[in-house]
Amino acid sequence: MTAEPLILAVDTAGPVAGLALLRGEQLEGAWCARVVRGAEARLAPAVQELLQGRRPDAVALASGPGAFTGLRVGVATALGLASAWGCPVVPVSSLLARAALSPGQPLVLALLDARKGRFYGGLFDTRSLVPAPVGPERDLPLAELLPSQFCIAVGEGAAVSRAQLLAAGHGLAMQPDANPAPALARLGAHFLAQGQGLPAHAVAVRYLRPPDAVPPADVVAAAADRGA
C-alpha cells in the first residue's frame, strides 16, 4: 500500500506564523508563534524541528492575501525549500484556510487585518469539505465586508474587531485567531490529490492591493541552501 503523502503547511499571512505537518488524517505536528519582526529567523528553525530530518511530499502554502512582509518571508521560505526538495507546492488562499476553522456554517466571514482601517475579507459556505467562496475576496473597511445576513467571523481580523462584529449582530468562531496551518495542510492534501500541485517557480503571491516592496531574493536563496 502506498503511504499517504507527507504535507508541510506554511502560513505567514497574519501576525501569527503557523506550521503543520500532516500525513493522511494524522496531524503529526504543529507550531505557531506571534511574530512582529524577524519572522525568517523564527520560521526556518521551526520547520527543521517539525520535520526532524524528513522531507515532505508537498508544501501547502498560504499564498495570500495577507501582510506583505509576513507573506514574502513565508512564501520565500516555502518556495526555496520546495525547490531544494524537488516537491510540488499547493497554493491555498489564506482566507479559505481560515474559513475552514469554522466548519458546518452556511456563511463564514474570514478576516485578516489589512491595516489603515481596512481588512482582507472573504465570505464562504463551510458546509462541505472545502469551503465554497460566496463572492470575491476583497480589501475594504470592515463595515463594507459585513453581509446583511448573520455570519460567523473567523481569522486574526475577527479577533481584533470582536466588538464591532458583535455590535453588528454577527458571531465569532470559538477561537477566531487559532493556528490555521492544520486546516491549510488538510486543504493542501485535498488539492494535491486533485492534481493541483505546482512547481515552486509557478507559484505567485496573491495580493489584494499592490505590494510596496519586491520579494527578498536573499531569503529565497537562504531557504534553498538550508533545504539542500
Side-chain angles (χ1 to χ4, degrees), residues 51-191:
L51 290 174
Q52 295 182 348
R54 292 172 291 179
R55 288 197 175 194
D57 298 294
V59 178
L61 172 64
S63 57
F68 293 144
T69 301
L71 270 181
R72 287 196 300 270
V73 170
V75 169
T77 299
L79 298 189
L81 291 172
S83 295
W85 293 327
C87 71
V89 178
V90 186
V92 178
S93 160
S94 51
L95 295 177
L96 180 72
R98 282 155 177 79
L101 294 173
S102 187
Q105 301 294 332
L107 198 60
V108 169
L109 176 62
L111 290 170
L112 279 165
D113 190 352
R115 307 296 181 185
K116 302 180 181 179
R118 300 170 73 95
F119 291 82
Y120 300 123
L123 288 167
F124 298 87
D125 181 336
T126 66
R127 290 175 292 183
S128 58
L129 175 65
V130 177
V134 181
E137 298 178 356
R138 299 180 294 170
D139 169 15
L140 291 170
L142 180 62
E144 297 181 43
L145 289 168
L146 295 178
S148 56
Q149 61 269 52
F150 176 82
C151 72
I152 297 293
V154 68
E156 295 92 330
V160 301
S161 54
R162 179 186 301 268
Q164 300 96 305
L165 289 163
L166 294 178
H170 298 289
L172 270 79
M174 188 168 296
Q175 291 184 289
D177 55 353
N179 179 10
L184 172 63
R186 294 185 177 95
L187 290 169
H190 174 80
F191 292 137

